[in-house]
Amino acid sequence: MLLSETSSLDSWLSWQEQCHPIEIDLGLQRVASVYQRIKPSTTKQVFTITVGGTNGKGSCVAMLEAILIHAGYRVGVYSTPHIQRYNERVRLNGQSVADELLTASFHKINQARATTSLSYFEFGTLAALDIFAQGEVDVQILEVGLGGRLDAVNIIDADAALITSIDVDHTAWLGHDKLAIAVEKAGIFRQHQKAVCGDKSVPQSLLDYARSIGTDLRL
């Protein structure tokens, strides 16, 4: 199917749903390689907050977005899934982006990826990062889709990380108990990074991981 930047958003999304061999394909190598091809060489440093966890991610993203916009920052948000329209996934200063911004970005990514296969979620993640760079945001808030360590948003080294709650979820990809799943979610942590975990009973495995890499974790 031949698509261009003027093709409809629905056409692009229908194609993306079929173009990758499996729906969920965790891993950073493919999406990171394409990101390096589309990333502007002169991009300004954007403060990044990555939000992970089992429940409450969307609420925390919305609250952070409201606080930062009210404080006068230009804010980009990537949050999934959408409720009514795909555009809700990518917001600039609280407003869903237009179809034209998304389709232009999808076309750019499709040209840059060459033979690299990307999933539906990976296309969306790259489009959001591309649109935020074009929009010259001050802060970008990236919501983890699944897990953390191998989720596409984790190609960005966040300045701050938030893990909301931790429960047994997506065991086929993340592990069969809370200790294993906590480490996967903690994969968004970085050395010397400010991080917060809001779980009422934080698994020891997450605390150990944060300590081992030197994350400044608050509970």
Side-chain angles (χ1 to χ4, degrees):
M1 184 176 183
L2 190 61
L3 294 168
S4 72
E5 57 188 315
T6 59
S7 299
S8 72
L9 179 57
D10 285 344
S11 296
W12 272 107
L13 297 177
S14 295
W15 175 75
Q16 287 171 25
E17 288 173 345
Q18 305 169 44
C19 71
H20 194 65
I22 54 178
E23 181 181 357
I24 297 175
D25 191 6
L26 296 178
L28 304 183
Q29 185 175 355
R30 290 174 298 101
V31 67
S33 69
V34 179
Y35 179 61
Q36 290 305 314
R37 297 173 211 165
I38 67 166
K39 180 182 176 184
S41 57
T42 56
T43 271
K44 72 172 185 177
Q45 187 67 27
V46 178
F47 192 91
T48 301
I49 304 171
T50 299
V51 178
T54 303
N55 295 307
K57 295 192 297 290
S59 300
C60 288
V61 166
M63 184 173 288
L64 285 168
E65 178 185 30
I67 291 167
L68 290 164
I69 290 173
H70 185 73
Y73 294 101
R74 183 164 175 78
V75 181
V77 166
Y78 177 55
S79 180
T80 59
H82 59 278
I83 297 173
Q84 293 182 312
R85 298 175 65 236
Y86 182 91
N87 311 57
E88 298 165 22
R89 294 177 177 230
V90 185
R91 302 195 292 276
L92 286 172
N93 263 19
Q95 300 298 316
S96 301
V97 299
D99 287 12
E100 292 75 21
L101 275 179
L102 287 164
T103 56
S105 190
F106 286 153
H107 178 65
K108 179 179 179 179
I109 294 161
N110 196 35
Q111 295 285 98
R113 73 179 181 87
T115 59
T116 303
S117 183
L118 295 172
S119 70
Y120 182 92
F121 183 79
E122 289 166 341
F123 258 103
T125 302
L126 290 171
L129 294 172
D130 181 51
I131 289 168
F132 298 158
Q134 293 177 51
E136 298 186 326
V137 299
D138 302 309
V139 183
Q140 57 188 10
I141 304 169
L142 308 177
E143 181 185 335
V144 171
L146 195 158
R149 181 175 66 91
L150 297 176
D151 188 84
V153 303
N154 204 33
I155 62 173
I156 303 298
D157 292 325
D159 299 282
L162 166 62
I163 293 180
T164 58
S165 64
I166 301 165
D167 209 337
V168 177
D169 63 342
H170 301 295
T171 54
W173 294 277
L174 304 182
H176 293 284
D177 59 48
K178 195 170 177 179
L179 290 174
I181 291 169
V183 173
E184 288 297 316
K185 294 186 186 298
I188 63 174
F189 290 168
R190 297 293 190 272
Q191 186 177 32
H192 305 311
Q193 172 202 64
K194 300 289 186 185
V196 175
C197 182
D199 199 288
K200 292 181 179 179
S201 179
V202 180
Q204 187 63 43
S205 58
L206 184 142
L207 300 175
D208 292 343
Y209 179 78
R211 189 178 300 112
S212 73
I213 66 170
T215 300
D216 183 6
L217 177 63
R218 313 298 175 92
L219 307 178

